[in-house]
Amino acid sequence: MLPKNKKPKEEWKDYITDSKLMVLYVLLKYTDENHMLEKKRVLELIAAEFGERREINVKTLDTSLEAIERFLKEKSDIFGSYKSGAKNGKKMKTNIRIEHIFSDHELRYLIDMVSSCEYIKLSERKELIQKLLTLSSKNLTSELRPYLLNNLKKTKVMTTDFDKNLKVIHKAIIEKKQIQFHRVARQQSGSLHYETDKNGDDKVYTVNPYRTVFSDGFYYLVCSRERSDNSAPDRISNYRIDRISDVTII
């Protein structure tokens, strides 16, 4: 039995009590350049998001909005800019919204680019699109998610560990370290196999990674391979990242 003066933890919701944070959260989630909120609706959404115990009054909302407006004038590089209007010539703030860093059409462009990247697995493209959608209000999410997630083209990648390999490659580039990997080829039957050397063993490539580039619909690793003749300069090579496997830093 809980003490009479205590409530179950799931009802406390004491993880946030600052009104300014609650107001900013609601504005970021529900407003954008095409969607505004009246103050009454902001108060309703705060209660819906944080529970009745976190409700605030109009005076507290006005104070919070003034603080948020000053804050975003200084920090609009991350959160976007604050916009509001006046109603019937009064100073009371209405038509409140935040214009996010990315506009809806800019996000749509980026999302379409991700959607068309057939070198990224379907599951990974969906995850990236979901993350991009969080950069605007939930209005964009509700309008575009069904269309965007149901019209992805089938992936053309050769291997299933593309994302993992890409992370290792970028880490090696930053740390200026070499990497090793196998190259994957497709047999006439459609199955995949490692390239082999003259002895019939799986061929291991050791390279110095420089950067990754996107070209002709695929992601490539630009790197150099050391020649057996040390007197000759290293050979610059490009490898499709979806055709390499088991990338490790050495």
Side-chain angles (χ1 to χ4, degrees):
M1 294 287 293
L2 288 169
K4 291 183 179 180
N5 61 341
K6 289 192 175 182
K7 293 185 178 182
K9 283 189 175 181
E10 61 269 22
E11 295 183 11
W12 290 356
K13 294 188 176 180
D14 289 333
Y15 54 88
I16 181 169
T17 58
D18 190 290
S19 61
K20 293 182 287 295
L21 290 177
M22 292 188 287
V23 174
L24 180 59
Y25 175 85
V26 166
L27 294 180
L28 287 170
K29 184 173 181 179
Y30 291 95
T31 71
D32 54 48
E33 59 183 325
N34 300 313
H35 299 86
M36 300 169 288
L37 291 176
E38 297 285 340
K39 287 201 295 185
K40 179 181 178 181
R41 184 56 179 157
V42 173
L43 294 173
E44 292 173 348
L45 289 170
I46 288 174
E49 289 284 350
F50 299 101
E52 294 181 359
R53 295 181 64 227
R54 297 277 81 83
E55 287 183 347
I56 63 175
N57 56 38
V58 176
K59 183 178 180 180
T60 301
L61 174 60
D62 285 340
T63 303
S64 299
L65 288 174
E66 290 175 0
I68 290 171
E69 184 174 12
R70 293 195 301 270
F71 173 71
L72 292 184
K73 283 182 179 179
E74 298 293 331
K75 303 299 180 183
S76 61
D77 56 329
I78 294 179
F79 294 98
S81 57
Y82 178 92
K83 304 290 182 181
S84 66
K87 191 174 185 179
N88 299 327
K90 297 181 180 180
K91 292 183 178 180
M92 181 175 65
K93 290 176 167 42
T94 60
N95 298 332
I96 307 162
R97 71 184 188 276
I98 285 182
E99 291 188 1
H100 296 256
I101 296 296
F102 289 99
S103 66
D104 285 357
H105 77 272
E106 289 172 333
L107 275 178
R108 179 58 188 269
Y109 172 74
L110 293 174
I111 289 169
D112 284 342
M113 290 290 289
V114 171
S115 178
S116 63
C117 288
E118 299 174 29
Y119 63 88
I120 303 177
K121 290 191 299 183
L122 286 173
S123 60
E124 291 170 1
R125 270 183 278 171
K126 289 182 178 181
E127 184 178 347
L128 285 172
I129 289 172
Q130 296 282 20
K131 290 179 179 179
L132 286 171
L133 286 170
T134 65
L135 298 177
S136 184
S137 71
K138 70 187 301 290
N139 300 296
L140 180 68
T141 302
S142 60
E143 292 167 4
L144 294 184
R145 178 185 279 123
Y147 167 75
L148 292 170
L149 299 184
N150 292 330
N151 290 272
L152 299 177
K153 294 182 179 180
K154 187 177 180 181
T155 182
K156 288 184 177 180
V157 296
M158 296 278 284
T159 61
T160 58
D161 50 0
F162 174 86
D163 186 59
K164 176 183 176 182
N165 288 337
L166 190 60
K167 289 178 181 178
V168 176
I169 290 170
H170 285 160
K171 186 174 187 291
I173 292 173
I174 293 172
E175 297 178 356
K176 294 180 171 56
K177 294 182 178 180
Q178 290 185 320
I179 58 173
Q180 286 184 335
F181 56 83
H182 298 288
R183 288 190 71 191
V184 176
R186 191 181 298 278
Q187 297 176 328
Q188 290 184 349
S189 61
S191 60
L192 301 177
H193 67 94
Y194 288 155
E195 287 186 0
T196 56
D197 58 24
K198 59 183 180 180
N199 298 318
D201 299 321
D202 294 339
K203 188 172 182 179
V204 178
Y205 288 78
T206 302
V207 302
N208 303 301
Y210 295 141
R211 62 173 297 184
T212 55
V213 296
F214 181 75
S215 180
D216 295 329
F218 290 100
Y219 223 170
Y220 290 85
L221 166 65
V222 180
C223 58
S224 67
R225 292 179 59 194
E226 297 179 359
R227 295 180 182 271
S228 56
D229 182 2
N230 293 330
S231 62
D234 294 348
R235 184 178 67 187
I236 301 298
S237 302
N238 302 313
Y239 297 103
R240 259 176 56 180
I241 297 177
D242 66 294
R243 296 189 67 174
I244 64 180
S245 184
D246 306 311
V247 181
T248 56
I249 295 177
I250 59 172

